[in-house]
Amino acid sequence: MTLLTREQMAQRIARELEDGFYVNLGIGIPTLVANYIPENISIVLQSENGLLGIGPFPIDGQEDADLINAGKQTITTIPEASFFSNADSFAMIRGGHIDLTVLGALEVDQEGNLANWMIPGKMVKGMGGAMDLVAGTKRVIVCMQHKNKAGESKILKKCSLPLTGVKCVNKIVTDMAVLEFTKEGLKLLEKAPGITVEEIKNSTEADLIIEGEIPDMIF
Amino acid sequence: MTLLTREQMAQRIARELEDGFYVNLGIGIPTLVANYIPENISIVLQSENGLLGIGPFPIDGQEDADLINAGKQTITTIPEASFFSNADSFAMIRGGHIDLTVLGALEVDQEGNLANWMIPGKMVKGMGGAMDLVAGTKRVIVCMQHKNKAGESKILKKCSLPLTGVKCVNKIVTDMAVLEFTKEGLKLLEKAPGITVEEIKNSTEADLIIEGEIPDMIF
Amino acid sequence: MNKIIKSALESIKDIKDGDTLMLGGFGLCGIPENLIFALREKGIKNLTCISNNAGVNDFGIGLLLQQKQVKKMISSYVGENDLFERMVLSGELEIELVPQGTLAERIRAGGAGIGGFYTPTGVGTIIADGKETKIIDGREYILELPLKADFSLIKGYIGDTSGNLVYRKTARNFNPMMATAGRITIAEVEEIVEIGILNPEEVITPGIYVKRLIKGEHYQKRIEQKTVRKV
Amino acid sequence: MNKIIKSALESIKDIKDGDTLMLGGFGLCGIPENLIFALREKGIKNLTCISNNAGVNDFGIGLLLQQKQVKKMISSYVGENDLFERMVLSGELEIELVPQGTLAERIRAGGAGIGGFYTPTGVGTIIADGKETKIIDGREYILELPLKADFSLIKGYIGDTSGNLVYRKTARNFNPMMATAGRITIAEVEEIVEIGILNPEEVITPGIYVKRLIKGEHYQKRIEQKTVRKV
């Protein structure tokens, strides 16, 4: 069973981008999505600390302490960029103007609930902007390993950790599969090449809708 | 009995200005206050349509359709001016950042209630920004004729017209007197030169606190 | 992303009878002149218009009133327009008056995903009638709800092809909030430039809010109260 | 109006033990470095600090934590600071975590005279615990209350003598809202200019919000995550 690499997951998520989308990418694997934007489409990346129009990372020596993304990484801007305050940035997010956000997760459940910020008993670092992003963005894609380090499913019948948002996830892209929340429930859409539907079922606690032939992911 | 002119009322109100004040002047007599700002103090005038730092009216031929005050008059700006949206402007007003506003009135009562926007039965033009100004500004001065055209007091025991704000007026400057709202009630502070305390009492329906010698206004 | 539309008429092609519109401007300052002319030309009816004022008899929203295209106005002050007055008195036109700061904040809330907010403005007045009130930290407030529109029609000064906008002087007024609160926002500007020309620090309306952009023509920019000083 | 104060220490002279402060910045970007040094030098204690982050161990608000000057933090993310972690676990430091957008909006509300607002952020999570909720237009919202401070300490890029401020790139972040929500706002800037130099269209914080202005010195502007691309 060959799981997808982080890069492959990012590459698969990039196929969810549509021309003209305004997108907020979370820290970690989601940030890598920017490396795989299809050449024929144009998207604009938002950074919740107050920038629309993130460019590539700077060339060494040209980094600017006044120009960072929400992960505190040095960045650059694209020509159509604009700067604004955090209040204006979250007005944009909360107001439903961002087309898509991609976030990591600790757990997702079959109701579309998301837990990605807090493990009781461990030091709480804070939710940052995650709760606002899942409450406000038009489309939420979760990107994570299918199972945790102990080999247990991260896609559950019911989240056990404190939630980040309720019924907020639209799609899950893992190292094993692509799943979508539909009116009927959580539906298996695609599998990673070389992974069987049986392996996905065995790795998933949540109830899955599996209809017909499940195609391999295309990157 | 010689009532004050509009200019004299504006002149008297100008003495309420303190160095460093940010001030919003209403339409009509209040606008004239700007002509009498004492030379030794510096104040900044706000216009609720989105400007801090109103300058004098323009020279004929230099008026700019994109630069008006809340009364839709053409204006200019002072060097320290800044422009902003109406939302930002009323955040400034509602948030208590304006030190003083001067407004006209139809009626004021002894509770400090103000009515200045609506006469039932007549066409309602709207309250504009008046309700926000009296709810948010640190200090509200009402400037009006003491009596209406029918010779009836405009300073009442209780306003009869629909209110603009409740317990919001700090001071009244009329063509007969200066009155202040204190914890004890409405207090007569000054009288117009040549007007007697008796004449003011006879022209005022509200209960007045009159203590000691009432001085003439100084301009 | 190129958001330029060739003509005002084309940019409003999907606005239909009964829609709710926001129209930028304060008095006749900063109003979308070309888009209003297009609305008149197209003759769309039964509109609900959210705009601080209602224009004057023969300009701005007054042009739509003349042709009885407006069912309801949501405004803070409509005193400059006596056609308006006659239509309200005759029952042809409905008016909802909102304090100006509350109007601006309700539009902002509509664009910012805020479900409602408590304001001290209007407490104890008829504006509070029928509204929830709450004492917070010893002060009474009124609950006000957000405003949204099917279309926002706004006027900027310079726009770039991606929809970034800057405004000019007090012509900014209601335009930036309205840009955020329309399901579809259509902006007209005096000049369109390529991306990269506007300074990212100075953009007031980020392009994300503007779906369509047109270059306005023949601006009249009427002055309501020409006031000058003696030299 | 000239608002310039000679030194950072003089500008904070009336901040006292137990005060609530807002401190601008996102991570170490756009933080009031000089004012934080002055707070440390003066040794004011029992502070409640409202700031999106808590600095790192040896810079920013971390400097105040080191000296145990902070009683409570109100922040959205404090994960960059392990001194912080130890102090919370030992009970020396209290923390109130607020979603970032709610934090920004609560500060804006504090400055804008809004008594409270309904937000969808955090519905169904522990953030909603103990808070009023309301269904508006079919959606559930949480009531959030405004934040204010005795003093706001912010960092601008260029300021004029009347207190007008502009910011630089993403160093703007929380500074503009905090400028509006402090009873007294003290701004440090990299450069002070005469009035009339800043373009009135580009001023982000109008001078009305700034009571005191200092020219900051020796900016370190530390970078937390230097990230570069391969050429």
Side-chain angles (χ1 to χ4, degrees):
Chain A
M1 189 167 81
T2 314
L3 300 175
L4 294 188
T5 62
R6 290 159 53 92
E7 281 70 22
Q8 285 174 308
M9 290 163 71
Q11 211 175 338
R12 173 60 190 82
I13 290 169
R15 297 193 63 236
E16 301 291 317
L17 302 171
E18 293 176 25
D19 191 35
F21 263 21
Y22 291 91
V23 178
N24 183 298
L25 297 176
I27 296 168
I29 305 176
T31 302
L32 301 176
V33 174
N35 298 333
Y36 299 100
I37 300 166
E39 295 228 333
N40 57 331
I41 69 167
S42 160
I43 69 156
V44 175
L45 297 174
Q46 200 245 24
S47 191
E48 63 259 38
N49 52 321
L51 166 63
L52 194 65
I54 305 177
F57 292 119
I59 291 165
D60 198 1
Q62 294 186 9
E63 64 277 4
D64 181 340
D66 288 336
L67 184 50
I68 63 171
N69 65 15
K72 280 93 180 178
Q73 296 173 308
T74 47
I75 51 170
T76 61
T77 56
I78 61 172
E80 70 182 85
S82 56
F83 295 107
F84 34 81
S85 71
N86 270 64
D88 288 343
S89 179
F90 281 95
M92 192 180 281
I93 290 168
R94 202 191 306 105
H97 303 283
I98 304 290
D99 296 292
L100 172 68
T101 188
V102 184
L103 294 166
L106 298 164
E107 296 175 350
V108 181
D109 70 24
Q110 63 196 38
E111 302 286 315
N113 300 322
L114 168 69
N116 79 348
W117 74 285
M118 182 183 176
I119 302 177
K122 283 207 183 178
M123 174 62 193
V124 179
K125 294 178 187 300
M127 70 293 284
M131 284 190 181
D132 307 279
L133 278 161
V134 300
T137 308
K138 284 182 198 154
R139 204 169 161 68
V140 175
I141 297 183
V142 159
C143 170
M144 63 177 188
Q145 271 71 39
H146 206 99
K147 297 188 283 187
N148 65 19
K149 283 173 188 164
E152 298 158 342
S153 174
K154 293 173 72 175
I155 305 175
L156 306 173
K157 289 189 191 301
K158 198 170 171 53
C159 285
S160 65
L161 296 172
L163 297 182
T164 306
V166 170
K167 292 181 187 166
C168 58
V169 181
N170 299 100
K171 220 169 217 181
I172 310 173
V173 175
T174 74
D175 47 5
M176 299 182 76
V178 178
L179 307 105
E180 186 170 36
F181 287 88
T182 68
K183 279 178 197 161
E184 292 71 36
L186 183 56
K187 189 170 173 180
L188 179 61
L189 289 189
E190 302 168 17
K191 58 192 181 63
I195 305 257
T196 65
V197 170
E198 206 54 32
E199 284 170 329
I200 293 168
K201 275 168 74 174
N202 292 338
S203 306
T204 308
E205 184 196 295
D207 297 328
L208 290 184
I209 299 171
I210 302 171
E211 290 174 354
E213 193 74 20
I214 304 299
D216 275 359
M217 288 185 208
I218 296 168
F219 297 93
Chain B
M1 188 166 84
T2 315
L3 300 174
L4 295 188
T5 63
R6 289 159 53 93
E7 283 70 22
Q8 285 174 309
M9 290 164 71
Q11 213 174 338
R12 173 60 190 82
I13 290 168
R15 297 193 62 238
E16 301 289 318
L17 302 171
E18 294 176 27
D19 191 36
F21 263 21
Y22 291 91
V23 178
N24 184 298
L25 299 175
I27 296 167
I29 305 175
T31 302
L32 300 176
V33 174
N35 299 332
Y36 300 100
I37 299 166
E39 294 228 334
N40 57 333
I41 69 166
S42 160
I43 68 155
V44 176
L45 298 175
Q46 201 245 21
S47 192
E48 63 260 35
N49 51 323
L51 166 64
L52 194 65
I54 305 176
F57 292 118
I59 292 166
D60 198 1
Q62 294 186 9
E63 66 277 2
D64 181 341
D66 287 337
L67 184 51
I68 62 171
N69 65 17
K72 281 92 179 180
Q73 296 173 307
T74 47
I75 51 169
T76 62
T77 56
I78 61 173
E80 69 184 84
S82 55
F83 295 108
F84 33 82
S85 71
N86 270 63
D88 288 343
S89 180
F90 282 93
M92 192 180 281
I93 289 168
R94 202 191 307 104
H97 304 283
I98 304 290
D99 295 293
L100 173 68
T101 188
V102 184
L103 295 165
L106 298 164
E107 295 175 350
V108 182
D109 70 25
Q110 62 195 37
E111 302 285 316
N113 299 324
L114 167 68
N116 80 346
W117 74 285
M118 182 182 176
I119 302 176
K122 283 207 184 178
M123 173 62 193
V124 178
K125 293 179 187 299
M127 70 295 280
M131 285 191 180
D132 307 280
L133 279 161
V134 301
T137 308
K138 285 183 195 152
R139 206 169 159 68
V140 175
I141 297 183
V142 159
C143 171
M144 63 178 187
Q145 272 72 39
H146 207 99
K147 296 188 285 189
N148 65 21
K149 282 172 189 164
E152 299 158 341
S153 174
K154 293 172 71 176
I155 306 176
L156 307 172
K157 290 191 192 300
K158 196 168 173 56
C159 286
S160 65
L161 296 173
L163 298 181
T164 306
V166 170
K167 292 183 185 164
C168 59
V169 181
N170 298 100
K171 220 169 216 179
I172 310 173
V173 176
T174 74
D175 46 6
M176 299 182 76
V178 178
L179 306 106
E180 186 169 36
F181 287 88
T182 68
K183 278 179 196 162
E184 291 72 35
L186 182 58
K187 190 171 174 179
L188 179 62
L189 289 188
E190 302 168 17
K191 58 194 181 59
I195 305 257
T196 66
V197 170
E198 207 53 30
E199 285 171 327
I200 293 168
K201 275 168 72 175
N202 292 339
S203 306
T204 309
E205 182 196 297
D207 298 328
L208 289 184
I209 298 171
I210 302 171
E211 290 174 355
E213 194 73 22
I214 303 300
D216 275 0
M217 288 184 208
I218 296 168
F219 296 94
Chain C
M1 291 179 209
N2 190 325
K3 295 172 174 176
I4 299 172
I5 304 287
K6 285 270 157 46
S7 74
L9 213 52
E10 191 190 332
S11 76
I12 65 155
K13 65 176 188 295
D14 46 356
I15 302 185
K16 56 186 194 308
D17 289 356
D19 275 351
T20 294
L21 310 184
M22 289 187 184
L23 295 114
F26 181 93
L28 299 180
C29 179
I31 62 172
E33 296 186 14
N34 287 271
L35 293 169
I36 291 171
F37 277 120
L39 286 174
R40 190 179 65 161
E41 192 174 337
K42 199 162 171 241
I44 311 155
K45 292 211 182 315
N46 281 318
L47 296 171
T48 294
C49 293
I50 301 168
S51 180
N52 189 58
N53 312 95
V56 294
N57 288 4
D58 64 343
F59 202 56
I61 294 176
L63 296 172
L64 306 179
L65 296 173
Q66 274 183 354
Q67 294 208 96
K68 303 183 194 296
Q69 294 177 255
V70 182
K71 180 182 63 180
K72 180 179 178 180
M73 290 290 313
I74 300 176
S75 305
S76 89
Y77 188 81
V78 293
E80 284 98 356
N81 191 321
D82 54 36
L83 169 64
F84 188 96
E85 181 164 346
R86 290 196 302 275
M87 292 178 75
V88 170
L89 292 175
S90 72
E92 286 175 280
L93 184 61
E94 199 185 329
I95 168 80
E96 178 183 338
L97 288 169
V98 181
Q100 194 177 137
T102 298
L103 182 63
E105 190 71 9
R106 287 178 69 190
I107 297 167
R108 178 190 180 272
I114 297 296
F117 59 90
Y118 288 99
T119 178
T121 299
V123 166
T125 76
I126 59 172
I127 289 303
D129 290 354
K131 289 179 185 152
E132 281 186 46
T133 61
K134 187 186 269 295
I135 309 283
I136 300 168
D137 209 12
R139 190 169 187 198
E140 187 174 344
Y141 294 87
I142 303 172
L143 177 63
E144 294 281 3
L145 299 178
L147 285 171
K148 295 188 190 188
D150 297 306
F151 293 86
S152 284
L153 311 187
I154 65 164
K155 158 74 171 62
Y157 177 40
I158 304 174
D160 73 20
T161 54
S162 77
N164 287 316
L165 302 182
V166 297
Y167 301 90
R168 188 167 175 275
K169 303 189 177 181
T170 55
R172 190 182 302 188
N173 56 61
F174 279 85
N175 288 295
M177 297 87 78
M178 289 182 173
T180 71
R183 188 175 52 79
I184 291 177
T185 292
I186 308 167
E188 63 170 85
V189 294
E190 297 179 42
E191 191 184 341
I192 295 177
V193 297
E194 289 302 313
I195 56 169
I197 302 295
L198 295 177
N199 180 346
E201 305 279 6
E202 296 161 21
V203 169
I204 301 298
T205 294
I208 190 171
Y209 293 114
V210 177
K211 294 285 183 298
R212 303 172 193 166
L213 186 70
I214 64 158
K215 187 179 177 314
E217 289 173 337
H218 313 299
Y219 280 105
Q220 296 185 31
K221 290 198 182 182
R222 289 205 200 163
I223 291 174
E224 284 181 82
Q225 304 284 342
K226 178 174 161 175
T227 312
V228 297
R229 70 172 182 267
K230 296 165 198 117
V231 193
Chain D
M1 292 179 206
N2 190 324
K3 294 172 172 174
I4 300 171
I5 304 288
K6 285 271 159 40
S7 74
L9 214 51
E10 192 191 332
S11 77
I12 64 154
K13 65 177 189 296
D14 46 355
I15 302 185
K16 57 187 195 310
D17 291 355
D19 274 351
T20 295
L21 310 184
M22 288 185 185
L23 295 113
F26 181 93
L28 299 180
C29 178
I31 62 172
E33 296 186 14
N34 287 271
L35 293 169
I36 291 171
F37 277 120
L39 286 174
R40 189 178 67 161
E41 192 174 337
K42 196 159 174 245
I44 311 155
K45 290 208 183 319
N46 281 318
L47 295 170
T48 295
C49 293
I50 302 167
S51 181
N52 190 58
N53 311 94
V56 294
N57 288 3
D58 64 343
F59 201 56
I61 293 176
L63 295 171
L64 307 178
L65 296 172
Q66 273 184 355
Q67 293 207 99
K68 301 181 196 293
Q69 294 177 255
V70 183
K71 181 182 63 178
K72 181 179 177 179
M73 289 290 313
I74 300 176
S75 304
S76 89
Y77 189 80
V78 293
E80 284 97 358
N81 190 323
D82 55 38
L83 169 62
F84 188 96
E85 180 165 344
R86 290 196 304 275
M87 292 179 74
V88 169
L89 292 175
S90 71
E92 286 175 280
L93 183 62
E94 201 184 329
I95 168 80
E96 177 183 339
L97 288 170
V98 181
Q100 195 177 135
T102 297
L103 182 64
E105 190 69 10
R106 288 178 67 191
I107 297 166
R108 178 190 178 272
I114 297 295
F117 58 89
Y118 288 99
T119 178
T121 299
V123 166
T125 75
I126 59 173
I127 288 303
D129 289 354
K131 290 179 185 151
E132 281 184 46
T133 60
K134 187 186 271 293
I135 308 282
I136 300 168
D137 209 13
R139 190 171 186 194
E140 187 174 345
Y141 293 88
I142 302 173
L143 176 63
E144 294 281 1
L145 300 178
L147 286 170
K148 294 187 190 188
D150 296 307
F151 294 86
S152 285
L153 311 186
I154 65 164
K155 158 74 172 60
Y157 177 40
I158 304 174
D160 73 20
T161 55
S162 77
N164 287 316
L165 302 181
V166 296
Y167 301 90
R168 189 167 175 275
K169 302 187 178 182
T170 56
R172 187 182 304 188
N173 55 62
F174 279 85
N175 288 295
M177 299 86 80
M178 289 184 173
T180 71
R183 187 175 52 79
I184 291 177
T185 291
I186 308 167
E188 64 171 85
V189 293
E190 296 179 42
E191 190 184 344
I192 295 178
V193 297
E194 291 301 314
I195 56 168
I197 302 295
L198 296 176
N199 180 346
E201 306 279 6
E202 297 162 20
V203 169
I204 302 297
T205 293
I208 191 171
Y209 293 115
V210 177
K211 294 284 184 298
R212 302 170 194 169
L213 186 70
I214 65 159
K215 186 180 176 315
E217 289 173 335
H218 311 301
Y219 281 104
Q220 295 186 32
K221 292 198 182 181
R222 290 203 200 164
I223 291 175
E224 285 181 80
Q225 303 285 341
K226 179 174 160 176
T227 312
V228 297
R229 70 172 182 267
K230 295 167 200 116
V231 192

